[in-house]
């Protein structure tokens, strides 16, 4: 499914590129320029969908006793890239403000490396113990307040900000096993905030909006290992919070 979605995303990006090149002169020419889809700005409600590429990472505060050695971090989070998709529901507030609800799914692969055996040299961690591949599927529900400028030819820049509820369907939060059995657990229900900016382009049949979004979690996502589990994994981390950056392509 992941490969199929990536193919669909690539084809959509390719089509958008060719459509943009074919109509760029229509967007910005001065003479005989047609204002595209003016009626769309007056709709009280409108809908669409989006595709996105994402980069998810963990921001961590490590435990000085178990997670650090000589001021070196013993736990590393590897940057990864993946994808997402969702729907758009927009409510017009006035000429410059819209309220947007953009529920979607974010598919995420991350990798954590634990070199924490340095603090317990009597034992040695194998590669299977040192590396945790953390797969997450987030149901992302952001509510965004959008401010957009007036149209400039057939384009309109905007900024937006708001709050997210993100439910991790692969959190393993209720699992009785922990890192000693190779299971990394995190919280299911999460909250954060998002900021976004981009440009809306009006074509004859649709509005295309490329934008960049940052999402940052408020809560600590880590679920501690069970009592009796060696302090190589979650004991080395005080707090762990997701931060994500996305390139979003919206169609309305």
């Amino acid at each position: 499914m992941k490969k199929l979605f990536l193919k669909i995303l690539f084809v959509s990006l390719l089509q958008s590129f060719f459509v943009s090149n074919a109509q760029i002169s229509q967007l910005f020419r001065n003479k005989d320029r047609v204002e595209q889809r003016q009626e769309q700005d007056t709709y009280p409600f409108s809908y669409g969908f989006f595709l996105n590429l994402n980069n998810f990472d963990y921001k961590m505060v490590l435990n000085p006793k178990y997670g650090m050695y000589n001021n070196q971090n013993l736990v590393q989070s590897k940057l990864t890239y993946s994808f997402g998709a969702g729907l758009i529901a927009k409510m017009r507030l006035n000429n410059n403000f819209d309220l947007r609800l953009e529920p979607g799914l974010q598919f995420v692969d991350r990798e954590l490396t634990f070199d924490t055996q340095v603090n317990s040299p009597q034992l040695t961690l194998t590669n299977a113990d040192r590396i945790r591949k953390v797969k997450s599927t987030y149901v992302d529900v952001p509510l965004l307040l959008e401010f957009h400028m007036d149209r400039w030819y057939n384009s309109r820049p905007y900024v937006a900000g708001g709050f997210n509820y993100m439910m991790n369907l692969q959190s393993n939060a209720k699992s009785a096993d922990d890192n000693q059995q190779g299971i990394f657990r995190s919280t299911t229900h999460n909250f954060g905030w998002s900021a976004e900016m981009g440009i809306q382009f009006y074509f004859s049949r649709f509005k295309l909006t490329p934008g960049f979004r940052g999402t940052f979690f408020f809560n600590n996502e880590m679920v501690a290992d069970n009592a009796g589990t060696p302090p190589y994994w979650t004991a080395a981390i005080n707090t762990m919070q997701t931060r994500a950056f996305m390139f979003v392509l919206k169609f309305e």
Side-chain angles (χ1 to χ4, degrees):
M1 180 179 177
K2 184 173 181 178
K3 290 183 178 179
L4 176 62
F5 189 91
L6 288 174
K7 289 180 181 179
I8 294 173
L9 180 59
F10 175 75
V11 171
S12 299
L13 290 170
L14 197 62
Q15 287 178 337
S16 300
F17 174 77
F18 284 119
V19 168
S20 298
N21 279 345
Q23 299 193 25
I24 195 70
S25 61
Q26 297 290 332
L27 284 172
F28 298 111
R29 69 182 184 181
N30 289 316
K31 189 175 181 180
D32 300 326
R33 174 171 51 85
V34 177
E35 293 288 345
Q36 309 280 12
R37 302 195 62 81
Q38 295 185 69
E39 74 284 355
Q40 188 167 357
D41 293 339
T42 65
Y43 293 160
F45 298 96
S46 60
Y47 307 93
F49 69 94
F50 69 86
L51 305 171
N52 72 269
L53 297 174
N54 62 46
N55 168 224
F56 274 70
D57 190 15
Y58 284 124
K59 178 183 177 181
M60 295 181 291
V61 177
L62 301 183
N63 184 295
K65 181 178 180 181
Y66 299 114
M68 302 184 71
Y69 182 78
N70 289 339
N71 294 323
Q72 294 183 350
N73 295 339
L74 301 180
V75 185
Q76 302 292 333
S77 175
K78 182 179 178 181
L79 294 172
T80 60
Y81 297 88
S82 194
F83 61 91
L87 302 175
I88 300 170
K90 185 194 79 173
M91 182 175 69
R92 181 179 184 271
L93 300 179
N94 57 37
N95 289 336
N96 295 104
F97 286 93
D98 294 330
L99 193 62
R100 288 179 171 269
L101 185 66
E102 299 186 358
L105 287 176
Q106 301 294 335
F107 302 95
V108 180
D109 292 313
R110 281 173 285 201
E111 184 176 292
L112 293 173
T113 302
F114 295 85
D115 291 317
T116 49
Q117 75 277 4
V118 173
N119 288 324
S120 300
Q122 69 275 16
L123 295 175
T124 301
L125 295 181
T126 65
N127 282 336
D129 291 328
R130 291 176 60 250
I131 297 175
R132 288 287 178 264
K133 294 186 181 295
V134 184
K135 293 183 179 293
S136 304
T137 300
Y138 289 105
V139 178
D140 183 13
V141 186
L143 182 63
L144 304 173
L145 180 64
E146 175 191 303
F147 169 75
H148 44 257
M149 306 290 289
D150 294 334
R151 278 199 188 202
W152 183 69
Y153 299 101
N154 278 304
S155 66
R156 188 170 68 173
Y158 75 95
V159 294
F163 299 98
N164 301 56
Y165 166 69
M166 299 186 75
M167 181 171 64
N168 187 356
L169 301 179
Q170 295 179 279
S171 67
N172 296 315
K174 295 184 178 180
S175 174
D177 294 332
D178 64 4
N179 278 290
Q180 198 162 19
Q181 290 79 37
I183 303 298
F184 189 86
R185 302 181 296 186
S186 60
T187 55
T188 300
H189 304 286
N190 305 283
F191 300 89
W193 64 276
S194 288
E196 182 181 317
M197 63 184 301
I199 302 177
Q200 301 167 348
F201 294 103
Y202 293 82
F203 297 100
S204 58
R205 296 182 180 275
F206 64 93
K207 181 171 70 173
L208 173 67
T209 305
F212 293 92
R213 179 186 300 175
T215 298
F216 308 91
F217 281 21
F218 293 130
N219 59 287
N220 182 6
E221 293 178 78
M222 190 185 67
V223 173
D225 286 335
N226 298 327
T229 296
Y232 300 142
W233 298 287
T234 62
I237 305 171
N238 285 340
T239 62
M240 180 181 73
Q241 297 168 297
T242 286
R243 53 186 178 185
F245 299 94
M246 308 177 194
F247 172 70
V248 187
L249 201 60
K250 304 179 184 182
F251 300 85
E252 297 176 74

